């Protein structure tokens, strides 16, 4: 991959559910090492966009290029691509029938067929980084929401993905837990991880993002540097959206 | 009511034999039912339409015909087409044919109870379909199906009484024979009830214990 090729490129992506257009021709470029934050009101298609990037939704038109490779192609195996695209969901979804360690190691060992000792070492190091090294033998039910979400992030990271997608990962957490999860993401950003983040945490978005994408009604209304977006939004829709936050 | 206790004691060996036969047939029938159920419920989860239709047809046929008629077909019908199966094997096949559909439905309900987000997460990690079924779907589905599967086991065990229709000397048939020979109706029926209780009470207790164990291990409540 040459330096010029973006890691992820979305062109004219259209997503419809039964003739209802959810995403209406989205263009998006994610360069390696960049953090893109997608903002917008509920129902604007943020999560759907993220899910399209991971093949969890089929799209009706447009293309998605990952490291220059076209993904919208019947010959492409999403199962392979997904190993390079880590995704974390709002509902954490740790597997309840497995311990923390089993959750984290499932992908590396069963999917990537990596050496157990090597994967274990990496898993432990990652758990250490999110301050959960002592919980490796616990079951998900024994953990708090914030802990579960941090484990879910570790689980995705342990696959050594090229890019991480975060879908409203703090939406069901209380403020303290939000903090602990966001810290982990900030840490990742500082290490140069490429990320696409959907969130409602405006302050977090402002500090972590290299670029803000503001989505409304299936269209990109505004895109730009976070300082520009928050201080000087160009469109009325974005102004209205940001005004609601002031109270 | 006067019961002829010495008669009852005399019949213990016969009942013991019948009891063992009942357990044996039920064991194989239930085991095969469960295997059929596992296979069919996975097929129903899959997207292969032809196979799904076959399974659906089997379920409708199996659930909407009485076991006695299924057994008659196996025991009296098949020999007319040149296929002779001995009575005990007929019984096991019949029970598995009936039970398979009930087990399929119980497991299907369990599979449907697995949250979509669990499946999406598993896909996002890159699990293949077979890995997804093996590590995520089935363990969770079986757990929530345990009560229904247990109820099916008890149901199938009681269905063994239908085997009396094809001359198998299990508990019910033994009792019918003895009543015909000695007219000791009350005694025989009491022994019959005790016979079934000896199997079913421990089984019920075992199943509810298992239910609690599995739920706790899986979901922590």
């Amino acid at each position: 991959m040459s330096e010029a090729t973006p890691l992820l490129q979305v062109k004219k992506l259209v997503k419809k559910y039964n003739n209802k257009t959810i995403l209406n021709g989205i263009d998006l470029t994610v360069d390696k090492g960049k953090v893109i934050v997608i903002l917008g009101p509920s129902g604007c298609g943020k999560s759907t966009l993220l899910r399209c990037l991971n093949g969890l939704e089929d799209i009706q038109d447009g293309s998605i290029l990952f490291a220059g490779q076209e993904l919208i192609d019947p010959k492409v195996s999403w199962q392979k691509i997904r190993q390079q695209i880590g995704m974390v969901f709002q509902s954490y979804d740790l597997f309840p029938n497995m311990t923390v360690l089993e959750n984290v190691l499932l992908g590396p060992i069963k999917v990537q067929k990596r050496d157990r000792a090597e994967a274990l070492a990496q898993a432990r190091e990652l758990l250490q980084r999110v301050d959960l090294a002592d919980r490796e033998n616990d079951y998900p039910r024994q953990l708090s929401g914030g802990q579960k979400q941090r484990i879910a992030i570790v689980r995705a990271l342990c696959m050594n993905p090229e890019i991480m997608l975060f879908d409203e990962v703090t939406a069901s957490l209380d403020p303290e837990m939000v903090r602990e999860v966001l810290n982990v993401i900030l840490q990742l950003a500082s290490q140069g991880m490429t990320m696409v983040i959907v969130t409602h945490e405006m302050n977090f978005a402002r500090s972590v993002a290299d670029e803000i994408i503001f989505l409304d009604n299936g269209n990109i209304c505004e895109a730009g540097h976070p300082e520009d977006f928050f201080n000087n939004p160009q469109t009325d829709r974005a102004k209205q959206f940001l005004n609601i936050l002031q109270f | 009511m006067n019961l002829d206790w010495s008669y009852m004691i005399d019949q213990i060996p016969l009942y013991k034999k019948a009891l063992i036969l009942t357990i044996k047939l039920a064991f194989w029938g239930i085991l095969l039912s469960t295997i059929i159920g596992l296979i069919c419920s996975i097929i129903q989860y899959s997207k292969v339409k032809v196979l799904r239709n076959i399974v659906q047809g089997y379920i409708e046929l199996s659930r909407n015909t009485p076991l006695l008629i299924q057994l008659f077909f196996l025991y009296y019908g098949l020999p007319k087409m040149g296929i002779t199966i001995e009575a005990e094997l007929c019984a096991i096949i019949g029970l598995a044919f009936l039970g398979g559909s009930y087990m399929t439905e119980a497991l299907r309900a369990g599979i449907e109870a697995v949250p979509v987000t669990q499946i999406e997460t598993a896909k996002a990690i890159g699990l293949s379909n077979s890995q997804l079924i093996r590590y995520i779907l089935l363990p969770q589905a079986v757990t929530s199906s345990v009560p229904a599967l247990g109820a099916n086991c008890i149901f199938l065990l009681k269905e063994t009484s239908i085997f009396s229709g094809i001359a198998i000397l299990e508990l019910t048939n033994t009792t019918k024979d003895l009543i015909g020979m000695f007219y000791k109706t009350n005694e025989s029926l009491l022994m019959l009830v005790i016979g079934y209780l000896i199997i079913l009470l421990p089984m019920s207790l075992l199943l509810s214990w298992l239910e609690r164990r599995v739920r706790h291990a899986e979901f922590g409540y």
Side-chain angles (χ1 to χ4, degrees):
Chain A
M1 187 174 79
S2 70
E3 277 303 308
T5 318
L7 186 57
L8 189 71
Q9 202 170 15
V10 178
K11 290 178 187 164
K12 306 239 171 307
L13 186 149
V14 175
K15 167 73 194 171
K16 291 177 184 169
Y17 284 116
N18 313 320
N19 292 326
K20 190 179 184 300
T21 306
I22 309 294
L23 297 171
N24 190 13
I26 301 289
D27 289 296
L28 178 71
T29 303
V30 187
D31 289 315
K32 197 164 172 52
K34 294 285 186 237
V35 179
I36 310 285
V37 173
I38 304 174
L39 299 176
S42 292
C44 70
K46 307 183 294 289
S47 292
T48 309
L49 175 58
L50 220 53
R51 292 163 58 84
C52 289
L53 300 182
N54 204 9
L56 289 174
E57 303 281 349
D58 52 346
I59 68 172
Q60 275 60 52
D61 201 11
S63 74
I64 301 173
L65 293 140
F66 181 70
Q69 185 197 0
E70 175 59 72
L71 299 186
I72 306 306
D73 180 341
K75 285 187 292 247
V76 166
S77 156
W78 273 108
Q79 200 218 320
K80 291 241 160 56
I81 301 296
R82 284 183 186 131
Q83 296 171 31
Q84 300 168 61
I85 304 180
M87 181 149 182
V88 185
F89 299 84
Q90 178 182 340
S91 49
Y92 357 113
D93 278 290
L94 297 184
F95 306 124
N97 49 323
M98 300 177 194
T99 63
V100 165
L101 208 53
E102 286 167 341
N103 262 283
V104 175
L105 290 177
L106 184 68
I109 291 178
K110 300 294 177 192
V111 178
Q112 296 180 320
K113 315 270 180 220
R114 277 157 58 188
D115 175 54
R116 193 186 156 82
E118 176 261 329
L120 186 66
Q122 189 190 0
R124 291 209 162 117
E125 194 216 306
L126 288 167
L127 287 172
Q128 187 83 49
R129 250 204 267 167
V130 299
D131 280 331
L132 289 169
D134 52 333
R135 310 305 295 267
E136 63 174 45
N137 292 318
D138 285 1
Y139 280 90
R141 60 170 187 270
Q142 295 164 291
L143 304 172
S144 72
Q147 289 170 331
K148 280 188 230 186
Q149 194 58 288
R150 281 182 282 159
I151 301 290
I153 294 172
V154 165
R155 181 173 61 179
L157 283 176
C158 207
M159 306 279 293
N160 294 320
E162 293 287 328
I163 183 169
M164 288 283 284
L165 311 175
F166 291 93
D167 186 8
E168 295 191 35
V169 289
T170 57
S172 47
L173 299 174
D174 72 42
E176 248 179 343
M177 293 179 181
V178 168
R179 184 79 224 175
E180 52 189 56
V181 171
L182 295 185
N183 278 340
V184 172
I185 301 177
L186 281 169
Q187 203 184 21
L188 282 176
S190 70
Q191 286 156 1
M193 174 60 84
T194 315
M195 297 188 272
V196 181
I197 302 171
V198 167
T199 185
H200 287 297
E201 301 288 333
M202 294 304 150
N203 290 329
F204 167 69
R206 195 171 185 157
S207 66
V208 78
D210 292 307
E211 189 184 357
I212 299 272
I213 305 275
F214 178 68
L215 219 58
D216 186 45
N217 233 340
N219 292 297
I220 293 182
C221 269
E222 202 166 325
H225 191 272
E227 290 311 315
D228 296 337
F229 176 78
F230 283 104
N231 296 330
N232 189 17
Q234 300 300 307
T235 57
D236 289 341
R237 187 63 191 92
K239 279 178 196 155
Q240 192 194 347
F241 179 75
L242 290 170
N243 264 333
I244 292 169
L245 299 167
Q246 318 290 332
F247 59 94
Chain B
M1 188 168 65
N2 278 323
L3 289 175
D4 185 343
W5 294 100
S6 68
Y7 165 80
M8 287 165 72
I9 289 163
D10 286 345
Q11 302 311 328
I12 285 179
L14 261 183
Y15 273 96
K16 196 177 148 197
K17 223 175 127 193
L19 187 80
I20 289 168
L21 182 63
T22 303
I23 292 174
K24 188 181 107 182
L25 296 178
F27 172 80
W28 287 112
I30 291 171
L31 184 71
L32 286 175
S33 300
T34 313
I35 294 170
I36 294 173
L38 272 176
I39 295 169
C40 289
S41 58
I42 291 171
I43 289 175
Q44 284 210 316
Y45 172 76
S46 81
K47 291 180 180 71
V48 189
K49 210 163 177 219
V50 184
L51 290 177
R52 283 177 65 164
N53 287 342
I54 293 172
V55 167
Q56 199 54 42
Y58 155 67
I59 290 173
E60 297 305 335
L61 184 66
S62 149
R63 293 209 305 175
N64 296 314
T65 49
L67 179 59
L68 187 61
I69 308 304
Q70 293 168 6
L71 290 172
F72 279 172
F73 173 76
L74 290 169
Y75 192 63
Y76 299 114
L78 283 184
K80 296 218 161 70
M81 299 181 220
I83 306 164
T84 313
I85 306 170
E86 62 152 325
E88 287 187 13
L89 193 57
C90 275
I92 292 171
I93 294 173
L95 198 62
F97 182 79
L98 176 77
S101 59
Y102 281 85
M103 294 296 189
T104 305
E105 291 291 279
L107 285 168
R108 189 179 60 99
I111 287 175
E112 280 169 10
V114 177
V116 185
T117 48
Q118 283 275 314
I119 292 162
E120 287 180 344
T121 309
K123 282 186 183 165
I125 292 175
L127 291 185
S128 67
N129 270 329
S130 58
Q131 288 172 328
L132 196 156
I133 290 171
R134 184 167 154 211
Y135 299 114
I136 313 299
L137 203 65
L138 275 187
Q140 294 187 37
V142 169
T143 305
S144 49
S145 297
V146 162
L149 294 174
N152 283 348
C153 290
I154 290 171
F155 157 72
L156 289 173
L157 210 139
K158 290 189 289 191
E159 285 292 285
T160 58
S161 61
I162 307 286
F163 297 161
S164 56
I166 55 167
I168 284 177
L169 280 173
E170 44 66 65
L171 284 169
T172 305
N173 209 11
T174 302
T175 308
K176 271 166 43 182
D177 272 6
L178 287 174
I179 293 173
M181 283 191 281
F182 301 107
Y183 300 109
K184 302 272 186 195
T185 313
N186 291 338
E187 288 82 352
S188 303
L189 288 177
L190 180 62
M191 301 262 306
L192 176 66
V193 169
I194 292 168
Y196 277 122
L197 287 181
I198 287 173
I199 312 175
L200 284 163
L201 278 183
M203 195 161 145
S204 296
L205 292 174
L206 183 78
L207 284 168
S208 48
W209 172 81
L210 186 74
E211 206 177 297
R212 264 178 286 130
R213 268 308 302 257
V214 165
R215 291 219 142 237
H216 182 75
E218 194 87 356
F219 302 118
Y221 54 83

